[in-house]
C-alpha cells in the first residue's frame, strides 16, 4: 500500500473555503425548496374552517335563505331548526334509514350525514317543495295508494321516489324496488310505496 492511500481526509487539493461555500448554498437551496413546497401545499389544501359559526346562504326550495352554521352543522339540523322545514327526519345517525332524504343538485342524499357548509351554492329540495295546493304526482300517488301507516318514513320515501323517477321515468317494479333500497319503513308499507311509484310511472296521480 502506498503512502497517499493512507493520507488523512481532507486530501491534497481540497479547498475548505469552497466546500463551506458550497454547503451554505446547498442549505439555502434546500430551505427555499422546502418553503416553496410548503407554499404549494398550503395553496392546494382546502380552506381550514374554524369552530366559530358563520353566516351563509343556502338555496332551499328555490329560495335563498341566510343561516348561521357551525362547521359541524348538518344540513338536517339547519333545515329543521333554523328553516322550520321538518319533513326530513332524524331517524338514524348514519343515514341508513333514508328518513332524512333531500335532493341536492338533483341527487338524493341523507341530510343528517351532510354538512350544511358543503351545500352552499347548491340547489336543495326538500319534501315541502312537493306539497302545497297542487302537490307533486308522487305525493298524490302515495295518498291514492295508501302508502303509509305511521308516516314517519314517508317524507324520505316521497323524496327518494321523486329523485329516482326523475332519473328513471319509465322504471319497472324491479328497478323501483332496487332504487329505493336506501329507505326503510318499520311499518312495512313497501308494497304500497312501490304501487305508488308505479302509478306515477304510468302517468297517474298527476298533481
Ligand atoms: S309508515 Fe311507519 S315507518 Fe314507514
Amino acid at each position: 500500500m502506498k503512502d497517499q492511500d493512507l493520507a488523512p481526509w481532507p486530501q491534497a487539493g481540497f479547498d475548505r473555503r469552497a466546500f463551506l461555500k458550497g454547503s451554505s448554498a446547498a442549505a439555502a437551496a434546500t430551505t427555499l425548496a422546502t418553503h416553496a413546497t410548503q407554499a404549494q401545499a398550503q395553496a392546494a389544501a382546502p380552506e381550514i374552517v374554524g369552530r366559530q359559526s358563520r353566516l351563509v346562504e343556502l338555496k332551499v326550495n328555490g329560495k335563498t335563505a341566510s343561516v348561521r352554521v357551525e362547521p359541524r352543522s348538518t344540513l338536517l339540523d339547519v333545515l329543521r331548526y333554523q328553516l322550520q322545514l321538518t319533513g326530513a327526519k332524524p331517524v338514524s345517525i348514519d343515514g341508513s334509514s333514508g328518513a332524512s332524504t333531500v335532493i341536492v343538485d338533483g341527487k338524493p342524499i341523507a341530510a343528517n350525514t351532510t354538512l350544511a357548509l358543503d351545500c352552499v351554492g347548491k340547489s336543495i329540495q326538500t319534501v315541502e317543495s312537493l306539497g302545497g295546493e297542487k302537490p307533486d304526482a308522487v305525493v298524490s300517488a302515495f295518498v291514492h295508494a295508501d302508502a303509509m301507516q305511521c308516516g314517519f318514513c314517508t317524507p324520505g320515501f316521497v323524496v327518494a321516489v321523486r329523485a329516482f323517477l326523475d332519473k328513471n321515468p319509465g322504471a319497472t317494479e324491479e328497478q323501483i324496488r332496487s332504487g329505493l333500497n336506501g329507505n326503510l319503513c318499520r311499518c312495512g308499507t313497501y308494497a304500497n310505496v312501490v304501487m305508488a311509484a308505479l302509478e306515477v310511472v304510468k302517468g297517474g296521480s298527476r298533481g
Side-chain angles (χ1 to χ4, degrees), residues 41-126:
Q42 279 170 0
E47 179 193 4
I48 294 175
V49 180
R51 270 192 272 171
Q52 68 280 11
S53 64
R54 59 157 73 178
L55 204 57
V56 297
E57 290 189 338
L58 293 181
K59 191 174 172 199
V60 184
N61 297 336
K63 294 179 188 162
T64 301
S66 288
V67 290
R68 183 163 284 285
V69 301
E70 296 177 24
R72 63 177 179 164
S73 302
T74 65
L75 178 59
L76 185 66
D77 285 342
V78 173
L79 291 174
R80 288 181 63 83
Y81 305 121
Q82 290 197 53
L83 301 179
Q84 282 70 54
L85 295 171
T86 55
K89 300 284 188 287
V91 172
S92 54
I93 290 173
D94 61 358
S96 59
S97 70
S100 70
T101 305
V102 298
I103 299 173
V104 175
D105 277 354
K107 291 183 188 159
I109 58 109
N112 68 328
T113 59
T114 301
L115 293 175
L117 281 177
D118 283 340
C119 297
V120 173
K122 297 179 181 174
S123 174
I124 302 158
Q125 190 181 3
T126 72

Side-chain angles (χ1 to χ4, degrees), residues 147-154 157 184-190 193:
M148 69 198 83
Q149 287 186 50
C150 77
F152 211 73
C153 70
T154 308
F157 262 110
L184 299 177
C185 173
R186 288 180 209 178
C187 298
T189 54
Y190 297 107
V193 168

